[in-house]
Amino acid sequence: MNTKNVSGIFLIVRKSLAQHKLSTAVTVLSLALAAGLVMSVFCIRNETYDAFTGGPVGFDAVLGARGSQLQLVLNTVFHLETSPGNIPWEMYQAVKRNPNVVLAVPYAVGDNYRGFRIVGTDKQLFTDLEYRKGDKFKVLPGGRFFDPLKREAVVGSYAADKTGLKAGSKFNPFHGLVFDERTRHAEEYTVVGVLGPTNTPSDRVIWIPIEEFYRMSGHVLRGAGETYESSAGEEIPDKHKEVSAVMLKLKNPQSGFLLDQTINRQGKAATLAWPIGRVMAELFGKIGWVNNILTLVAYLVVVVAAGSILASIYNTMNERKREFAILRALGARRSTVFTAIVLESAAIAGIGTITGYLVYAAIMSAAAVIVRDQTGVALDVLRFEWVLVITPIVMILLGALAGVIPAVKAYSTDVATNLAPMS
Amino acid sequence: MPILEISDLRKSYTSPGGESSLVIDIPRFSLERGEQIALQGESGSGKTTLLNLIAGILKADGGRILIEGEDMCSLPESGRDRLRAGNIGYIFQTFNLLQGYTALENVMLGMVFGGGSDNEFALSILGRVGLEDRIDHKPAQLSVGQQQRVALARALANRPRLVLADEPTGNLDIRNAGAAVDLIRNICGESGAALLLVSHDRNVLDKFERVETLSGINRGLNN
């Protein structure tokens, strides 16, 4: 194929696309949806997997009541699901003293404010934890972390944004993890700080001192086996205290292995969810079939879109027989006409795929908002994925392939019989 | 050496009933460089078949068609395409302009498969046929006479050595037909291209110094 033919081919393709604007636009749209869907399915799958299994957590393991490790992780790391139960305060103290543990932070859950979880915890969460390497929680200017012995609260950025709570605001917690107007606690808490955004599930949480969590009316402690309800001004004995979970930062991976042996395999009193990423990966393994179905649907949409190119170009072949005959009479070779049709088909696929990036951006943005709203996990919508390069290439190749059948028809156009009239 | 030299050219068509009919049987015919010949023939006499054979659009059953010394009949289809694109300009009775293309683009297409596109030459030749202000018009936006001139410009865009014109005035009235033939002859004369024009219109034929009848050179019609 020489350069003279190439310029002719491009002219033919350009003119044909312009002449068949409507069918081209409809086909481009279907391809854009297909490309956008495929890229989104793959990227959402990869990014949710990475965000949930390797996102910024800050902790290596979670110690909680005997039961499901997944439930424990979902409840404490992602602030979803219910708590599997409580463990005694003494167990928290024991694990805190364990030489394999660098940091142990207690969590007590069971209340909410307008649907946002309230977690009773220790000030160490703010002072000692790096939720991401080099990043600690920070309060926005004008705020501070809570006093462990006062009815104060620090609010995550997303929760603050949605509830309107800010430094100086007062609120009453509601009992349970689901918001119900009738379960309002009598105690009033004062917001003393709003945390800066961390793009982690912690942004959806309202943090209060664990001591004040125990003292909330209706909260019954069973750390010693018998029920205990705190009284104002009276110190709560440690033996009665209990926690929903203890978040652990371990010395090294071997520490996790040792604790796993001690707590999960030899002990029966508690469960250690370690490593957190593996626990979440198991969840993704269990729901992998959903991804497979979505992927299959996306592939089918691509095949249908490729079929739509074939149909849209093939349908124009009869009306274009004369055009091909004229082009041939002007010196265009059969291969030139064939190439022009294949290129036209590939061009439609190319334009569709480029438009597909807009669809991809829209789907990813919507997905990121939904995931953020529901879990607090931030998806990196700008992250590079190979599928963003491979999809256009595959789509263009598929488009070119779809153009082969109409191109064969154009190739076989007889010049003389289509250059009417004869004299 | 003549620009076109035909010898023992034969072409038959087979009817749906399987009967073969010899349409073209030309023992000898030639056209000198720069020469202009009108070929007279009635409708259905095989004029278009002859031009299509010369242009390599149809393949002959036998014989030779030498164009610039190269035998069109012995070439494969791609070779015939190349020889046509590089040496022949073809003006069709119905002009065969591409409807979605502007006048300029139609002319450019006459170039790209042969000598390569030359925007300036395309513009100059459209100017030569009086369409400098119609270059962006599509065929439907042009009069029949203007369309005919675009077809002429396209046929000459590739600086052909041989121009074939198949009833080029068939769709024009008498006044425009005369002007069109004059224009075709003048421009071919200016560019040095030989012209083989077929027509059954006496007014057109009378404008040529040399007029041949198809029946005079073609024995196929007499069978």
Side-chain angles (χ1 to χ4, degrees):
Chain A
M1 188 77 49
N2 58 36
T3 53
K4 289 179 285 189
N5 275 351
V6 170
S7 65
I9 288 169
F10 279 113
L11 180 60
I12 295 166
V13 170
R14 188 165 58 81
K15 297 306 290 187
S16 177
L17 293 179
Q19 273 180 276
H20 306 100
K21 281 191 211 87
L22 184 62
S23 65
T24 300
V26 171
T27 314
V28 160
L29 192 65
S30 71
L31 281 154
L33 289 172
L37 191 63
V38 168
M39 292 189 286
S40 301
V41 164
F42 278 93
C43 289
I44 290 173
R45 185 185 68 182
N46 290 351
E47 286 173 30
T48 49
Y49 182 87
D50 290 350
F52 280 91
T53 59
V57 171
F59 295 106
D60 299 315
V62 185
L63 179 68
R66 196 73 180 165
S68 156
Q69 291 189 26
L70 178 61
Q71 189 183 1
L72 198 54
V73 170
L74 287 174
N75 181 48
T76 55
V77 176
F78 296 98
H79 305 287
L80 304 166
E81 269 278 2
T82 53
S83 168
N86 295 332
I87 55 173
W89 181 263
E90 283 156 8
M91 197 175 280
Y92 155 58
Q93 295 287 13
V95 80
K96 193 177 180 181
R97 287 191 299 271
N98 191 305
N100 291 303
V101 173
V102 176
L103 176 67
V105 178
Y107 275 7
V109 299
D111 293 297
N112 78 92
Y113 177 67
R114 303 204 170 277
F116 289 92
R117 289 197 176 197
I118 293 172
V119 177
T121 189
D122 190 277
K123 206 173 175 180
Q124 268 190 302
L125 180 76
F126 308 118
T127 55
D128 295 358
L129 175 73
E130 287 186 357
Y131 64 87
R132 191 185 285 117
K133 198 167 170 56
D135 286 329
K136 288 184 177 179
F137 289 109
K138 290 187 183 77
V139 280
L140 295 177
R144 60 174 172 79
F145 295 123
F146 56 63
D147 183 326
L149 298 175
K150 289 186 176 170
R151 280 188 193 148
E152 293 180 343
V154 171
V155 186
S157 61
Y158 186 83
D161 184 46
K162 294 295 174 188
T163 59
L165 291 174
K166 53 184 185 289
S169 300
K170 294 184 187 303
F171 71 95
N172 293 77
F174 292 84
H175 193 67
L177 297 176
V178 180
F179 177 59
D180 181 349
E181 289 272 10
R182 296 166 300 181
T183 60
R184 186 171 179 268
H185 281 290
E187 290 77 9
E188 188 176 73
Y189 286 73
T190 303
V191 177
V192 294
V194 172
L195 296 174
T198 62
N199 288 328
T200 70
S202 298
D203 290 345
R204 299 174 53 83
V205 176
I206 298 169
W207 308 96
I208 63 170
I210 197 163
E211 190 73 18
E212 291 306 316
F213 184 90
Y214 294 144
R215 292 182 183 283
M216 227 183 283
S217 54
H219 280 191
V220 176
L221 301 174
R222 295 186 183 86
E226 66 217 39
T227 58
Y228 173 87
E229 206 161 346
S230 65
S231 309
E234 179 190 313
E235 192 177 334
I236 305 170
D238 282 352
K239 67 172 187 176
H240 291 299
K241 292 179 185 172
E242 50 186 354
V243 296
S244 303
V246 184
M247 311 303 289
L248 302 173
K249 183 95 187 143
L250 305 179
K251 205 168 170 184
N252 51 42
Q254 283 73 27
S255 305
F257 181 74
L258 287 171
L259 284 174
D260 181 47
Q261 286 290 325
T262 314
I263 299 168
N264 291 335
R265 302 189 195 285
Q266 293 160 17
K268 287 182 180 170
T271 294
L272 182 79
W274 172 86
I276 290 171
R278 196 237 336 131
V279 174
M280 288 306 293
E282 280 175 11
L283 170 66
F284 277 84
K286 284 175 189 163
I287 61 168
W289 60 272
V290 176
N291 275 325
N292 292 341
I293 289 173
L294 282 175
T295 307
L296 187 65
V297 169
Y299 284 147
L300 284 175
V301 172
V302 168
V303 171
V304 170
S308 75
I309 302 184
L310 193 158
S312 76
I313 295 184
Y314 194 84
N315 287 340
T316 66
M317 283 297 111
N318 277 339
E319 70 181 66
R320 293 173 70 183
K321 273 185 177 174
R322 189 172 167 82
E323 175 188 337
F324 299 138
I326 295 169
L327 290 169
R328 294 289 321 284
L330 292 175
R333 297 182 189 178
R334 283 186 192 274
S335 59
T336 306
V337 175
F338 180 91
T339 308
I341 299 302
V342 170
L343 196 65
E344 180 181 332
S345 186
I348 292 172
I351 298 166
T353 310
I354 290 166
T355 316
Y357 281 116
L358 298 177
V359 176
Y360 163 76
I363 294 175
M364 285 303 285
S365 303
V369 169
I370 292 168
V371 172
R372 178 114 168 80
D373 280 356
Q374 297 299 314
T375 67
V377 172
L379 300 183
D380 182 5
V381 294
L382 298 177
R383 192 174 83 170
F384 173 78
E385 295 277 355
W386 275 107
V387 72
L388 298 176
V389 176
I390 293 166
T391 302
I393 294 170
V394 171
M395 294 288 283
I396 290 168
L397 288 176
L398 262 181
L401 194 64
V404 167
I405 292 173
V408 167
K409 194 165 185 181
Y411 181 92
S412 57
T413 299
D414 184 75
V415 182
T417 53
N418 287 288
L419 281 176
M422 304 282 273
S423 60
Chain B
M1 185 174 65
I3 183 73
L4 171 68
E5 202 171 358
I6 294 174
S7 55
D8 300 325
L9 181 65
R10 294 168 70 85
K11 176 70 181 175
S12 306
Y13 285 120
T14 305
S15 68
E19 230 173 274
S20 179
S21 105
L22 186 65
V23 178
I24 298 291
D25 180 7
I26 300 175
R28 188 156 297 279
F29 178 77
S30 64
L31 187 62
E32 295 299 322
R33 288 175 188 280
E35 191 180 7
Q36 300 189 348
I37 295 180
L39 199 57
Q40 183 186 3
E42 298 307 313
S43 291
S45 62
K47 299 192 300 286
T48 301
T49 299
L50 173 60
L51 293 188
N52 282 347
L53 285 167
I54 295 171
I57 290 170
L58 287 175
K59 184 156 176 62
D61 297 337
R64 298 206 308 172
I65 302 170
L66 293 179
I67 295 167
E68 284 286 24
E70 205 168 350
D71 184 9
M72 187 68 94
C73 297
S74 66
L75 292 172
E77 190 179 58
S78 60
R80 299 201 306 271
D81 292 339
R82 175 187 50 74
L83 191 57
R84 175 170 66 252
N87 295 282
I88 297 172
Y90 204 146
I91 307 169
F92 304 93
Q93 179 182 348
T94 49
F95 315 141
N96 280 332
L97 297 178
L98 291 161
Q99 295 303 309
Y101 295 62
T102 65
L104 180 60
E105 287 165 343
N106 265 287
V107 174
M108 295 289 282
L109 270 178
M111 299 175 160
V112 291
F113 304 117
S117 56
D118 181 343
N119 196 54
E120 282 200 12
F121 184 66
L123 287 170
S124 77
I125 202 157
L126 277 167
R128 177 65 187 85
V129 298
L131 292 175
E132 58 273 85
D133 58 345
R134 293 285 188 277
I135 58 170
D136 291 327
H137 286 57
K138 291 183 177 171
Q141 298 165 317
L142 298 169
S143 68
V144 176
Q146 288 170 333
Q147 289 181 36
Q148 208 269 351
R149 282 185 272 159
V150 175
L152 170 60
R154 186 179 66 184
L156 293 166
N158 208 25
R159 297 181 174 90
R161 293 170 183 86
L162 172 64
V163 173
L164 305 174
D166 184 6
E167 297 277 13
T169 60
N171 288 330
L172 302 178
D173 56 42
I174 292 173
R175 192 173 62 82
N176 279 319
V181 172
D182 289 340
L183 187 61
I184 292 170
R185 292 200 63 189
N186 289 340
I187 292 180
C188 285
E190 288 164 17
S191 64
L195 173 65
L196 177 61
L197 181 147
V198 297
S199 179
H200 65 275
D201 185 340
R202 177 47 57 190
N203 294 318
V204 171
L205 298 170
D206 286 347
K207 286 181 176 286
F208 284 79
E209 293 77 28
R210 182 182 165 191
V211 178
E212 300 272 358
T213 58
L214 196 55
S215 55
I217 63 167
N218 181 18
R219 293 190 309 206
L221 284 173
N222 301 325
N223 285 348

